[in-house]
Amino acid sequence: MNQRLFEKIRDLKAQRRAVILAHNYQSADVQDVADFCGDSLGLSIQASKTDAETIVFCGVLFMAETAKVLCPDKMVLLPDRRAGCPMADMITAEQLRGLKAQHPDALVVCYVNSTAEVKAESDYCCTSANAVAVVQSLPRDRQIIFVPDQHLGRFVEQQAGRALILWPGYCTTHVQITEDDVLQVKQRYSDAVVMAHPECSEPVKELADAVLSTGQMIKFVQESPAKRFVVATEVGMIHPLKKARPDAEFLPAGTRGICPNMKKITLEKVQASLENLQFQIEVPAEVRLKAAKSLQRMVEIKPGG
Ligand code: 13P
Ligand code: SF4
C-alpha cells in the first residue's frame, strides 16, 4: 500500500466532498481506499442514497452510468474512461428494438451490465443478485426477453422455472473459467466448497455448491462453517472474501479469471480523477429518464423476495 498516495486521496476526497465506491473486482489497494465496496446492486443502492457531491466509481462504465442515472445531480467520475464491459457492448439499443419487434408482447429484463440506451429500452433492470427475484415478480402469462447475458439468463430460467427469450451475450472473463479449472482444485482439496458467479458457463455452475453474486459470496462464506472455498469468478473477489473470513482459504478456479477492464483503475488514476475531476460521466436526458424507470425497479426488488 502506497501510504502517501492513500493519504493524498483521502485529502482530495474531503476537498471534493466525494465518496469512493469500488466493485469487488477492483485491485486490493483500490478496494482499501474506497468508502464502500460491493456488488453491482449494493453499489447502486449506495450511489442512490449518498449525500456526497461527487461519486468516484471504481468499476466499469455501465456501473458509473447507472450511478449517474440514479443521481443525475451529482458528478460521477470514472477514473479510466476506457474501462468498459465487453458484455454490455454485445447488444445495442437498435438490436434490442429489433428483438422487441419480433416479440411485441414480451416484457424486457436487462442485466445491469448493459448500456444506458439498452436500459432505456427495457421494462426492468436486474443484477446477478436479484435477477431471479425480478423475473419471478413478473406475470406468468407474459413472455420475457432477457439481455444480454445468456449464462445468467439460463441460471434464471432454471431457478425461476420459466423459459426466457435469450440474447447470446456473455462475459469474456467468466467464460474463460473452465470445468477443468474447478475439477483440478477439487482433486487437490475435496473438502473445498465451490462458489460460482452466474456469468460462468453452465458446466462450471453445475459443479458449484452455490451460484452467487459477488456480494452474496461474502455473506455465504460468513455463514458457512467450511474452511476452504473455490472461487469461480474474477480474482479480485478473493480480497473481500479474505477480509470476511480471515481464517479460511480461498482458491481461485484457474488463472484466467481476470477482468482487464476492472483492472484499468489504479490508485494513481483515482487520485488524478479527484484532482482533475475526470472522467465525468454524462447520460443524455431522454435516455436517462427512461433508463431511470427500469433501474428504479432494480434497486427496489430485493434478492429472494
Ligand atoms: P456482481 O453484481 O455480482 O458484483 O457482478 C458484476 C459483474 O460485472 C460480474 O462480472
Ligand atoms: Fe464485464 Fe465480465 Fe468484466 Fe464483469 S467481469 S465487468 S461482466 S467483462
Side-chain angles (χ1 to χ4, degrees), residues 23 25 39-40 62-63 111 113 128 174 197 199 213-214:
H23 187 264
Y25 295 162
D39 65 6
S40 307
F62 76 80
M63 298 179 174
Y111 187 25
N113 299 38
S128 61
H174 281 84
H197 195 276
E199 287 174 15
S213 81
T214 65

Side-chain angles (χ1 to χ4, degrees), residues 25 60 62 84-87 113 171-174 199 234 259 262:
Y25 295 162
V60 291
F62 76 80
C85 167
M87 184 208 284
N113 299 38
C171 165
T172 44
T173 296
H174 281 84
E199 287 174 15
E234 213 275 347
C259 175
M262 285 282 181

